[in-house]
Amino acid sequence: MQTTMYMLTETSPYLLGLVIRTEGGNCIVIDGGRPEDMPLLKEYIGGRPVAAWFLTHPHVDHISGLVHEMEKNGGADFDIRRVICHFPDYDEWISHADEAPDKAYFLEELNEMLPAFNRIKHLFGDRLHTAEQGETFSIDELSFEILYTTHAGLYSNPMNDASMVFKITTPRTSVLILGDLGPEGGDVLFFESRDKLKADIVQMAHHGHMNVDFSVYAAIRPRACLWNAPRWVYDEPDVPSYLADREKLVRMKRIRMYGSALTREWMDILGVKEHYVSCEGTQTILL
């Protein structure tokens, strides 16, 4: 069987749930979503060992499903061999709360899922691996390279800009996972790793809106895009109503926030023809 990626359709809003079945009979999981997404995820894993479960960042729509499974029965419904992530250190980050442009928002973000994950992470034991930028490793026919992890000082869009970015390469193609990276995190990624960003397929950062700048996508030069997006996000205008208060965004230092229409224009400029969208059903992509 050729390496196959499944982008799961939305059981819950904004789901990023990717399952890769390897030629060696293993699975790779990326995020997975909320508790209500776990039955569909389990269906596509199909009893295979989860050689690695990647967690991009601690937001409820990305990791609460796995946290729930660990709280329920220690993850017994999944054969998890390794969990890979690089989350902010809670104590270190909360000590910098006064440096955030919007302290209340910063604290809300920090407390959304990170404490819950910290309460269950001991259940993974030595299966939990903190990935470091520049690290490489292989699983079956897949090669992985970590291109970006948490950077201190990015406090205006804290958890999204803490997204772990990594490239997956098979003998035939490459996929870049951007998580929910925003404009400032994207700037750092471009500065530090622009020569490594080229990939055939890109998972659109932050559902395709309020995301990395055009320069990042131009460096990637993808032929296909993975949109983990509900219909309203995929079809939204350049400046939706919730981004119309520019004074508020200036105060929060989040001024480079735009709707997905702009991102779709960028993809047109780059000549991308293939778009896989989660709201249109579970997507199957041969790697």
Side-chain angles (χ1 to χ4, degrees):
M1 172 183 137
Q2 183 173 332
T3 317
T4 305
M5 171 182 282
Y6 301 94
M7 181 171 65
L8 304 186
T9 195
E10 289 190 329
T11 309
S12 71
Y14 319 115
L15 164 67
L16 175 57
L18 300 175
V19 176
I20 302 173
R21 295 180 184 173
T22 75
E23 294 175 3
N26 288 297
C27 270
I28 309 297
V29 175
I30 299 171
D31 285 351
R34 295 177 168 90
E36 56 264 43
D37 301 307
M38 293 298 99
L40 183 61
L41 184 71
K42 188 174 181 181
E43 176 183 334
Y44 277 88
I45 291 172
R48 297 168 180 83
V50 179
W53 194 315
F54 288 85
L55 301 173
T56 60
H57 66 292
H59 266 162
V60 65
D61 53 326
H62 291 260
I63 72 165
S64 63
L66 179 58
V67 170
H68 170 78
E69 291 295 319
M70 299 305 292
E71 291 173 334
K72 180 179 71 175
N73 58 15
D77 292 344
F78 300 91
D79 181 7
I80 303 172
R81 306 293 176 84
R82 203 176 192 197
V83 174
I84 299 173
C85 61
H86 188 132
F87 291 167
D89 180 275
Y90 184 88
D91 293 334
E92 170 65 20
W93 275 54
I94 204 165
S95 71
H96 293 279
D98 289 335
E99 300 172 27
D102 187 320
K103 182 177 179 179
Y105 178 73
F106 177 86
L107 293 174
E108 177 184 336
E109 286 277 286
L110 196 62
N111 285 295
E112 181 180 294
M113 278 304 303
L114 190 54
F117 179 81
N118 286 341
R119 285 193 296 270
I120 60 91
K121 68 180 184 180
H122 70 279
L123 298 174
F124 296 121
D126 60 7
R127 294 177 296 167
L128 181 62
H129 176 71
T130 300
E132 300 297 342
Q133 187 167 317
E135 185 175 358
T136 62
F137 49 91
S138 298
I139 299 171
D140 293 338
E141 72 278 16
L142 306 178
S143 298
F144 299 83
E145 182 172 11
I146 309 298
L147 300 181
Y148 174 99
T149 64
T150 299
H151 280 63
L154 297 180
Y155 300 143
S156 64
N157 189 18
M159 293 302 101
N160 287 337
D161 278 339
S163 292
M164 183 171 65
V165 175
F166 55 99
K167 184 188 288 189
I168 307 167
T169 303
T170 79
R172 292 162 293 274
T173 194
S174 55
V175 183
L176 188 68
I177 303 298
L178 291 172
D180 276 1
L181 204 63
E184 286 73 30
D187 289 349
V188 176
L189 173 68
F190 181 80
F191 178 79
E192 294 181 344
S193 302
R194 59 189 176 277
D195 59 328
K196 298 180 178 181
L197 296 180
K198 177 70 183 79
D200 300 305
I201 302 170
V202 62
Q203 174 257 319
M204 306 301 285
H206 196 246
H207 320 281
H209 67 168
M210 303 166 65
N211 69 144
V212 301
D213 206 347
F214 177 75
S215 59
V216 175
Y217 289 116
I220 299 168
R221 301 192 305 280
R223 63 168 174 78
C225 298
L226 306 178
W227 296 78
N228 55 297
R231 176 57 60 186
W232 73 265
V233 169
Y234 191 64
D235 290 340
E236 75 179 348
D238 287 354
V239 184
S241 59
Y242 65 90
L243 292 177
D245 187 347
R246 304 309 293 179
E247 291 184 3
K248 176 182 177 182
L249 294 176
V250 168
R251 289 195 303 272
M252 297 178 71
K253 294 190 177 179
R254 303 180 78 197
I255 60 174
R256 292 159 56 204
M257 297 289 186
Y258 299 95
S260 62
L262 181 60
T263 311
R264 292 177 68 175
E265 289 178 12
W266 293 345
M267 297 307 105
D268 289 341
I269 292 170
L270 293 173
V272 178
K273 303 299 184 185
E274 299 176 64
H275 294 275
Y276 299 93
V277 189
S278 63
C279 65
E280 296 175 353
T282 294
Q283 305 291 308
T284 302
I285 305 102
L286 294 177
L287 303 182

